[in-house]
Amino acid sequence: MSWQEVDRFSLGSALSEVTDQVPVALPPPGVVAGYLDLRVLELLTARLCHELIGPIAAINNGVELLADEPVLARGQADPDFMHDAIALVGDSASRAASRLQFYRFAYGYGHGGSMVGSPPNELASRFFESTRITCHYGESVRALPLDWQRLACNLLLAGAEALSRGGSLVLAVAPDGLDLEATGEFAALPPETSAALSPATPVAELTSRSVQAYFTGLLAETLGCRLVRTEELRGLRLTAVALAA
């Protein structure tokens, strides 16, 4: 494999689709009680950085392997070594790009805006592709407006918190609202995360782990809903129920 082919695995090329998303925009004033608290933004940023550290560190490791290989200077690189190093860089760059593109939509999609690039269901599929969690993004959800699909993607993130040992996430439109079923061995949300599903949770009590649930609750509120958690056998269900109901 030539060095020109290595370039196609570069982080820059892998992240090219990210710029297709619309700029970050907060919900319209009055829909939620004020803009997001600064602490919420700090915790979301910390969570996002945590999600990206792994694949980006792996990219760096792959580049260091290539740079430290002495035979490269003599033009006698081991094909197996080259293949493994390039695969490490390529796979890690792909994972980093998938995470960035998913979070760009989940956190940054603007109210009423348009979207260019992969649809939310494809972003979600790639996000969970290399994890122990399978994601089923129902056809009924794909037909929803993008504001609702943004909530759906955040429901996926909140539900994934319950699947520390892997499992499945199923998104669908149910009679009582937007529905997420999380199923897996010992599936359960930590107490702090369950409490954070309500926007009434004091911001000072949030952590980088529970802030996702809190943000999901806020998004549900902007759409006139509240999140309801239901315990089930080997799992749980999160439903965005209309406040009027």
Side-chain angles (χ1 to χ4, degrees), residues 128-144:
F128 290 103
E129 189 173 34
S130 299
T131 72
R132 295 183 295 173
I133 297 175
T134 58
C135 175
H136 303 280
Y137 200 106
E139 291 286 346
S140 57
V141 182
R142 301 178 196 185
L144 293 175

Side-chain angles (χ1 to χ4, degrees), residues 177-217:
L178 183 58
D179 187 76
L180 173 72
E181 182 181 18
T183 306
E185 185 179 6
F186 301 114
L189 285 175
E192 63 172 338
T193 303
S194 293
L197 289 170
S198 170
T201 302
V203 172
E205 297 180 4
L206 297 176
T207 66
S208 58
R209 183 173 188 179
S210 64
V211 71
Q212 177 62 55
Y214 181 81
F215 183 69
T216 306

Side-chain angles (χ1 to χ4, degrees), residues 51-127:
E51 289 289 313
L52 295 175
I53 284 174
I56 291 178
I59 294 171
N60 184 64
N61 291 339
V63 172
E64 287 183 350
L65 282 174
L66 291 171
D68 292 342
E69 177 59 22
V71 297
L72 293 181
R74 302 193 300 271
Q76 300 172 348
D78 178 7
D80 291 336
F81 167 81
M82 289 289 294
H83 177 272
D84 291 344
I86 292 174
L88 173 62
V89 173
D91 292 344
S92 300
S94 178
R95 284 196 297 128
S98 296
R99 289 175 181 270
L100 276 173
Q101 291 160 13
F102 181 84
Y103 277 110
R104 176 72 168 177
F105 176 71
Y107 290 170
Y109 172 75
H111 177 75
S114 59
M115 183 175 180
V116 178
S118 300
N121 64 291
E122 292 183 11
L123 297 179
S125 177
R126 290 199 295 265
F127 182 87

Side-chain angles (χ1 to χ4, degrees), residues 153-174:
C153 286
N154 278 275
L155 279 173
L156 288 173
L157 292 172
E161 289 288 334
L163 303 178
S164 59
R165 299 194 179 187
S168 67
L169 295 170
V170 179
L171 268 174
V173 175

